[in-house]
Amino acid sequence: MKKPIIGITMDSRDDGSYYQLGFDYAKAVETAGGVPLGIPYKVSPALIPAILDTLDGILFTVGNDLDPALYGEEWHPKAQRIDPDRQSFELALLAEVEKRRLPALAICLGCQLFNVYRGGSLYQFLPDVADKHEHRRGEDSIRRHAIKVEPDSALGRMIGKGEISANTYHKQAVKTVGRGLRVTAVSDDGIVEGLEDPSLPLFAAVQWHPERLHAEAEHLAPFRLLVEKASQTVR
Ligand SMILES: [Mn+2]
């Protein structure tokens, strides 16, 4: 059987001129049975339909902070601003992905993107609010916290457990939940760690970084979910 092709969005180095993508995203997709392909964003949005014609599923990845004007706020003093070209490209990409009902998984910034795209808002800097777990302090990949996963969500069914240990490396998180989305995972200090639109074949987002832990079955599960749904759209 032909393996599904999974597009992976890329970030850029903060000094500009170069794309960057952590090795783990493509390796996690490969391990789950998909064929990973990077998607450059410094191209015309007019190419988006042709790009998506080549893909069976898509993975939205990590990056800097979305412009809070998208949800009616000013930049936080500690903001690390996303490249405006990436933001506009990914919003246009997501709109076309949604229109085509293409299976989509989002991680970290991707989770925030899905929520804001649907009209939701974000906590711009978690240390300003309840942050028992210091969600942003996971740079060493060692800091973890427990999350509860909804057993009747697509994510929960694939993980097969109601509670897992997730790594945490984010200073932003979902505040108000966007249209058509349900919360599928939450930390024990009340931070949203997963979202899904159950009306689409797969429109799922996680706030933690399963790509870094994909050697563990419960963290490979989101990628298996993406590859399984993408397999159903292989041409
Ligand atoms: Mn967290």
Side-chain angles (χ1 to χ4, degrees):
M1 198 181 81
K2 187 172 173 284
K3 290 184 177 185
I5 299 172
I6 308 296
I8 306 178
T9 63
M10 293 193 286
D11 199 12
S12 54
R13 284 191 351 199
D14 288 339
D15 58 358
S17 302
Y18 293 88
Y19 293 110
Q20 68 174 11
L21 179 68
F23 293 161
D24 289 333
Y25 292 99
K27 185 52 79 176
V29 166
E30 179 188 2
T31 304
V35 178
L37 276 185
I39 304 174
Y41 67 79
K42 294 271 189 186
V43 297
S44 167
L47 290 187
I48 286 173
I51 290 170
L52 293 181
D53 283 348
T54 70
L55 302 178
D56 304 303
I58 188 160
L59 176 60
F60 289 84
T61 61
V62 73
N64 287 336
D65 306 338
L66 294 169
D67 186 341
L70 292 167
Y71 47 95
E73 292 185 17
E74 303 284 323
W75 285 106
H76 190 281
K78 303 237 183 208
Q80 294 168 283
R81 301 180 186 206
I82 192 171
D83 181 344
D85 289 345
R86 182 176 181 196
Q87 176 175 295
S88 59
F89 181 84
E90 292 208 6
L91 284 168
L93 184 67
L94 183 53
E96 185 68 17
V97 163
E98 180 190 53
K99 185 176 132 199
R100 294 180 180 216
R101 301 171 64 84
L102 194 70
L105 173 68
I107 292 174
C108 196
L109 165 66
C111 181
Q112 296 153 16
L113 180 80
F114 277 26
N115 190 54
V116 168
Y117 170 73
R118 288 293 188 85
S121 67
L122 303 177
Y123 294 114
Q124 290 200 53
F125 193 65
L126 277 176
D128 290 347
V129 296
D131 193 20
K132 178 178 99 180
H133 292 304
E134 301 189 69
H135 291 258
R136 76 192 186 286
R137 290 264 174 81
E139 291 90 342
D140 53 8
S141 300
I142 291 168
R143 185 177 289 273
R144 294 196 185 199
H145 57 63
I147 58 172
K148 282 204 159 55
V149 181
E150 282 298 320
D152 67 341
S153 63
L155 182 73
R157 281 190 294 274
M158 185 58 87
I159 288 176
K161 291 181 184 176
E163 185 171 325
I164 63 169
S165 163
N167 55 357
T168 192
Y169 177 38
H170 58 108
K171 70 173 189 299
Q172 298 200 329
V174 169
K175 184 157 60 176
T176 60
V177 176
R179 289 181 301 278
L181 299 173
R182 61 174 288 206
V183 174
T184 58
V186 65
S187 65
D188 65 359
D189 57 350
I191 300 298
V192 172
E193 295 274 348
L195 292 173
E196 235 167 75
D197 180 342
S199 75
L200 290 169
L202 183 68
F203 193 91
V206 299
Q207 186 59 66
W208 79 97
H209 282 277
E211 79 282 2
R212 297 183 180 191
L213 302 173
H214 71 267
E216 300 172 34
E218 57 260 48
H219 297 292
L220 185 61
F223 302 97
R224 289 179 49 228
L225 180 62
L226 175 61
V227 168
E228 178 185 276
K229 296 291 183 182
S231 298
Q232 293 158 12
T233 64
V234 166
R235 287 166 293 268

